[in-house]
Amino acid sequence: MGCGVSKSSEFYSKKGGKDVPLIVVPAMRAAVLIQRWFRRYTARMEMRRRYTWNIFQSMEYAGEQDQIKLYNFLGYLVDNFTPSGNLISHIFRDHDVCRDTEWERYFSYENIDVPEIYSGPQLTFPLTVSQVAGLVEAFKNKQQLHSRYVLQLLLETWKLLRSLPNINRVSTCQSKEITICGDLHGQLLDLLLIFYKNGMPSQATPYVFNGDFVDRGKDSIEILLILFSYLLLYPGDVHLNRGNHEDHIINLRYGFTKEVLGKYKLHGKRILKLLQKIFSWLPLATVIDQRVLIVHGGISDTTDLALITRIDRHRYESVLRPPKQKGALSGGQSSLDDDDSVSNISLHNRRRSSLANDKPFGTRDSFLRRSLQDFSATVKKTVEEEQEARQRQGSNPLSSESDSDSTNDEWKQILDMLWSDPMAQNGCFPNELRGGGCYWGPNVTEEFLSRHNLQLIIRSHECKQEGYEFCHNRKVLTLFSASNYYEVGSNRGAVIRLGPNLVPYFIQYQASDLTLELTLKQSVGRTERSALKALKEQLFANKSDLISAFQEYDKDNTGRISFNDWAKAVGTVLHLDLPWRMLRSQLVTLTPDNMLNYHSWFNELSWKGRNTEHVEQTVLETLYKHRSTLETIFRIVDTDNSGVISFEDFGQTWRLLGAFLKMQISDEAISDLLVSIDTNKDGNIDIEEFMEAFRLVDRNRLERGNTVFIRKDEP
């Protein structure tokens, strides 16, 4: 009789002691399956993202290590071999013997006229807010600042930087937050996006920029000019720390030197020389409220802030090598007008032979395999030789020894601050991966913070996928502000705000409209393809060495090896710390019996325009393998920064390369190569001809290249 509703068993099932509608059961199962699929999908994407990241980072650090090895090698030649010393010693010379008035006269801008047709930004000093805002807008619209204004701006910046301490000390208050930026690496879009999101630098919006403003990106000079302008406008609210890329030697390899000379063809050399000086005057660190240290690289177990405050930082125009002892330079010499007037005196007695000498180098490993910390042994030996010379002249050797120890201690302090990286395990040891600085662990962080009464270290120097990353119990924070660093979608950039409570507030971004249009799969795929392409180029460039390594496992000369043997050989030859087994499906195709035909594999690696036929020790294979090193040597040899070198200097470049690679190069082979590379027949070699010859491969040139190199260990 009642009107209640009863449950029918055909529409319900018992689940967990409860009645569950049957229609819900398949829906729940579908949800579980979808959730399980999505988790597996995101896990696969994360795995691909991580090994892609590993490829990029390993190759980046290997490039830095190669640059340091080359610099050590060239320093070795300067100290020991006369012809090479004359050609490359200018990059090791200390320019501090010049008086301030000489610098100002050398970089005078008054004699540079601005043409009437120039429509770009114009600057007067002292700068105004509207002028700096106009400069930023001009750079946003791809305009260029005239070289007269560039030199004037740099000169004013140099004057200001000389008045700043080694460690800037700033404070917050209840109404003020400080914004901290990490590496920018010439990516102007990131800087403009930071200003858009966070506000332009001002007294109300102070900033700390933590080094690595230049290199890699295409707008490094524009970023410097913007930052220097705001530094001049708000000297108490804009703070710049030096990074490891604020170094004229590093700039030779990573693009800043090339960028400046390309944009300012007439006055580029003067601009670069003044920037070299400015970089040496940049402060080394910033401390906020006596509690937070901001430094580009990091610390070591010997870092002493009290010692750092006393260092003459401007002596270290490049931190890759300790500066010459002051006593080695003649007091009245000027290095600006006479390139041969500096450092030749201290080197004269140490130059013992010539590159033409057939005596093998023998001790090559001593400068190719060491980190920068180990370079101090050579410096000590050099100083001992100088002490002997002073003893013969009646000077005090004990004073020289004390100066040498002090210089080495200072140099290591700066080197560690600009080049070091944190690690998960306790301890502190040389950073062999980069070739400079050290790895330091949580125990070193704890001891350092306790000794200096600090609570946090903010550093940059490493690209992070989210733009930032904590480590060492959240007492070390890595901050990286260049988004899309390796490839579009590869990483976010980030900046942080610190208020009086010193709790970081993060702002993340990606300065590319394309990243908004890409799905997760498309973004990971795009980055992965770019990384694998670069890795395959490295594999192909090391073809001869890889085949030799494969043949060690292929005793019967079958042309086939197992995948495990392939992974071991590739890891040994390339010296890249990569998950080779994880990369298997992306790099190799195995036969049904799980073997690899390595000759066929090299054919698969080849790309359009490259001859895949194996030719041992050819010119172009070697040139491609060492292309960055060659371009660096070229720019060192090009002392007037004209982009052109003579046939004679080009031949000397080849001899430097041969010495670096332990290969003997005949003059006849060099002459033949010159004729083939000089495509416009003007009797000189320019940078475009130089690099294009190393990029293209054709059968005729490969055949000519067989005669160029003769291994010294061959009969």
Side-chain angles (χ1 to χ4, degrees):
M1 294 291 295
C3 59
V5 179
S6 62
K7 295 181 180 179
S8 175
S9 60
E10 64 180 297
F11 295 108
Y12 290 85
S13 67
K14 290 287 185 180
K15 189 172 183 67
K18 298 181 179 180
D19 290 331
V20 179
L22 289 176
I23 194 171
V24 176
V25 175
M28 291 179 62
R29 289 175 179 171
V32 170
L33 289 174
I34 292 173
Q35 188 179 56
R36 187 179 301 166
W37 171 86
F38 182 75
R39 287 175 178 173
R40 290 176 179 173
Y41 172 78
T42 54
R44 287 196 300 270
M45 291 297 104
E46 179 63 18
M47 180 185 68
R48 291 170 61 187
R49 191 171 70 108
R50 288 187 179 183
Y51 74 61
T52 297
W53 189 266
N54 206 348
I55 292 172
F56 279 129
Q57 198 166 65
S58 295
M59 295 179 67
E60 177 186 4
Y61 291 171
E64 290 181 343
Q65 190 179 81
D66 286 345
Q67 175 68 8
I68 291 173
K69 289 177 180 178
L70 174 63
Y71 189 64
N72 283 344
F73 168 75
L74 296 177
Y76 173 83
L77 292 184
V78 166
D79 291 345
N80 295 278
F81 296 89
T82 303
S84 62
N86 292 337
L87 191 67
I88 63 178
S89 61
H90 64 94
I91 67 170
F92 298 100
R93 292 173 184 165
D94 299 315
H95 300 291
D96 293 320
V97 293
C98 296
R99 293 183 293 272
D100 293 344
T101 54
E102 291 177 319
W103 274 102
E104 292 186 27
R105 184 170 63 251
Y106 182 78
F107 295 113
S108 174
Y109 55 86
E110 287 88 351
N111 60 344
I112 302 177
D113 295 325
V114 180
E116 293 183 1
I117 60 172
Y118 172 71
S119 60
Q122 301 186 24
L123 303 180
T124 58
F125 293 84
L127 292 171
T128 64
V129 175
S130 60
Q131 284 181 331
V132 178
L135 182 66
V136 174
E137 189 65 24
F139 289 157
K140 182 179 179 180
N141 295 325
K142 308 299 182 183
Q143 290 182 289
Q144 186 169 302
L145 184 64
H146 193 274
S147 56
R148 175 191 172 95
Y149 301 124
V150 172
L151 286 170
Q152 190 174 6
L153 176 60
L154 295 182
L155 189 57
E156 294 298 321
T157 302
W158 173 61
K159 292 177 181 178
L160 174 61
L161 288 174
R162 290 163 54 214
S163 68
L164 299 181
N166 292 343
I167 301 178
N168 282 314
R169 297 185 182 273
V170 299
S171 63
T172 61
C173 63
Q174 294 299 326
S175 61
K176 183 179 291 187
E177 288 183 326
I178 296 179
T179 303
I180 303 163
C181 298
D183 298 32
L184 289 167
H185 279 301
Q187 298 186 186
L188 182 59
L189 286 179
D190 285 304
L191 182 61
L192 297 177
L193 186 56
I194 291 169
F195 289 165
Y196 173 78
K197 285 178 170 288
N198 191 68
M200 308 295 276
S202 66
Q203 291 180 340
T205 313
Y207 278 84
V208 176
F209 295 92
N210 198 25
D212 276 14
F213 318 120
V214 303
D215 280 334
R216 302 188 187 278
K218 61 182 180 180
D219 297 315
S220 295
I221 187 64
E222 286 78 9
I223 286 179
L224 282 180
L225 296 177
I226 290 173
L227 297 185
F228 292 161
S229 296
Y230 277 114
L231 176 66
L232 293 173
L233 194 59
Y234 303 110
D237 300 287
V238 174
H239 309 279
L240 308 181
N241 289 344
R242 185 177 185 178
N244 66 307
H245 278 262
E246 277 68 64
D247 188 310
H248 67 103
I249 301 301
I250 297 296
N251 300 153
L252 286 167
R253 185 184 188 101
Y254 290 103
F256 182 55
T257 299
K258 180 179 179 180
E259 177 191 332
V260 173
L261 294 176
K263 292 179 178 179
Y264 294 96
K265 300 184 185 302
L266 187 58
H267 301 289
K269 180 179 179 180
R270 296 169 68 183
I271 292 172
L272 285 171
K273 277 188 172 291
L274 188 49
L275 283 170
Q276 179 178 332
K277 200 69 179 170
I278 286 174
F279 288 165
S280 71
W281 278 103
L282 286 170
L284 302 173
T286 300
V287 174
I288 298 178
D289 289 347
Q290 304 297 322
R291 302 294 289 167
V292 177
L293 173 69
I294 305 173
V295 62
H296 179 74
I299 61 172
S300 71
D301 54 359
T302 61
T303 300
D304 183 355
L305 296 185
L307 173 58
I308 290 167
T309 59
R310 301 192 301 268
I311 290 175
D312 292 331
R313 66 181 187 272
H314 62 279
R315 297 180 59 209
Y316 300 85
E317 294 190 358
S318 174
V319 299
L320 300 187
R321 178 181 170 107
K324 295 288 190 299
Q325 296 301 306
K326 294 179 180 179
L329 296 174
S330 173
Q333 290 174 326
S334 169
S335 61
L336 292 177
D337 299 319
D338 183 3
D339 283 344
D340 294 326
S341 63
V342 180
S343 79
N344 287 341
I345 295 177
S346 62
L347 298 175
H348 177 74
N349 292 327
R350 297 200 299 276
R351 289 175 176 162
R352 298 184 296 274
S353 58
S354 165
L355 275 178
N357 195 324
D358 291 333
K359 181 180 178 180
F361 282 81
T363 60
R364 177 174 180 263
D365 289 346
S366 67
F367 52 82
L368 281 186
R369 294 183 180 175
R370 66 192 175 194
S371 65
L372 285 176
Q373 284 86 345
D374 301 327
F375 196 72
S376 59
T378 300
V379 175
K380 183 176 181 180
K381 180 180 177 182
T382 298
V383 172
E384 288 174 353
E385 293 173 350
E386 291 179 351
Q387 289 172 9
E388 293 177 3
R390 291 194 185 97
Q391 276 184 312
R392 290 192 293 270
Q393 297 171 1
S395 59
N396 185 357
L398 296 179
S399 176
S400 298
E401 183 175 356
S402 175
D403 291 343
S404 171
D405 292 340
S406 175
T407 297
N408 281 328
D409 289 343
E410 291 179 356
W411 171 62
K412 289 180 180 179
Q413 293 278 329
I414 296 177
L415 184 68
D416 289 338
M417 294 182 74
L418 269 57
W419 279 85
S420 296
D421 294 308
M423 63 179 180
Q425 63 268 38
N426 286 333
C428 185
F429 53 83
N431 189 334
E432 298 291 349
L433 191 59
R434 288 189 190 267
C438 69
Y439 285 114
W440 88 91
N443 62 321
V444 176
T445 295
E446 290 285 353
E447 191 278 332
F448 175 84
L449 294 178
S450 175
R451 177 158 43 93
H452 292 90
N453 195 28
L454 298 168
Q455 69 182 46
L456 177 67
I457 297 172
I458 298 177
R459 44 91 61 178
S460 301
H461 196 43
E462 286 184 285
C463 184
K464 298 298 180 182
Q465 289 181 336
E466 296 301 320
Y468 70 93
E469 182 179 277
F470 280 103
C471 64
H472 295 184
N473 299 317
R474 297 181 68 86
K475 293 183 179 180
V476 173
L477 170 60
T478 298
L479 180 68
F480 199 83
S481 299
S483 66
N484 306 304
Y485 180 62
Y486 295 123
E487 177 59 78
V488 173
S490 65
N491 68 284
R492 295 181 180 182
V495 297
I496 63 174
R497 292 178 186 158
L498 278 183
N501 60 3
L502 300 181
V503 176
Y505 171 77
F506 296 94
I507 301 174
Q508 296 171 285
Y509 52 85
Q510 282 190 303
S512 173
D513 293 336
L514 183 58
T515 58
L516 301 176
E517 303 171 3
L518 298 177
T519 65
L520 174 62
K521 184 176 181 180
Q522 290 171 332
S523 177
V524 172
R526 181 187 180 98
T527 308
E528 182 184 52
R529 286 191 296 274
S530 178
L532 290 173
K533 179 179 181 295
L535 181 58
K536 289 177 180 179
E537 290 175 356
Q538 285 294 310
L539 289 167
F540 195 87
N542 286 271
K543 181 176 179 180
S544 296
D545 292 337
L546 284 171
I547 286 182
S548 297
F550 294 157
Q551 289 174 343
E552 290 294 319
Y553 295 100
D554 182 21
K555 299 298 184 181
D556 296 330
N557 199 25
T558 63
R560 289 155 40 98
I561 56 175
S562 68
F563 175 77
N564 287 338
D565 290 340
W566 175 89
K568 293 176 185 177
V570 170
T572 300
V573 171
L574 264 61
H575 303 292
L576 295 178
D577 184 20
L578 295 175
W580 296 109
R581 288 171 176 78
M582 187 179 295
L583 293 169
R584 166 180 167 177
S585 61
Q586 302 287 350
L587 295 177
V588 301
T589 302
L590 301 180
T591 60
D593 57 350
N594 288 324
M595 299 294 286
L596 171 69
N597 185 319
Y598 50 85
H599 293 298
S600 299
W601 174 66
F602 275 114
N603 291 336
E604 295 173 1
L605 281 182
S606 63
W607 54 90
K608 184 178 181 180
R610 178 165 293 280
N611 190 316
T612 60
E613 182 180 345
H614 171 62
V615 182
E616 288 188 352
Q617 300 171 6
T618 62
V619 176
L620 294 182
E621 182 182 334
T622 303
L623 295 180
Y624 190 88
K625 181 178 178 181
H626 301 282
R627 190 148 59 124
S628 294
T629 298
L630 281 163
E631 184 172 1
T632 302
I633 295 176
F634 182 98
R635 298 197 182 281
I636 292 172
V637 171
D638 181 21
T639 55
D640 62 355
N641 295 316
S642 64
V644 176
I645 59 175
S646 66
F647 278 9
E648 180 181 356
D649 286 344
F650 183 80
Q652 189 73 340
T653 301
W654 271 85
R655 295 183 184 92
L656 287 173
L657 175 66
F660 183 62
L661 301 178
K662 277 189 102 174
M663 293 180 175
Q664 186 176 352
I665 307 173
S666 67
D667 291 339
E668 182 180 358
I670 293 175
S671 178
D672 291 342
L673 187 63
L674 281 169
V675 173
S676 66
I677 292 178
D678 184 21
T679 55
N680 59 11
K681 308 303 179 185
D682 62 355
N684 293 308
I685 301 297
D686 61 41
I687 187 64
E688 297 304 326
E689 291 176 338
F690 186 78
M691 297 308 297
E692 190 65 21
F694 303 155
R695 185 176 295 110
L696 300 177
V697 177
D698 62 74
R699 187 179 303 275
N700 292 334
R701 186 173 289 170
L702 281 171
E703 293 172 355
R704 290 196 300 271
N706 279 328
T707 62
V708 174
F709 286 112
I710 304 174
R711 288 279 185 184
K712 286 191 175 182
D713 54 3
E714 290 181 353

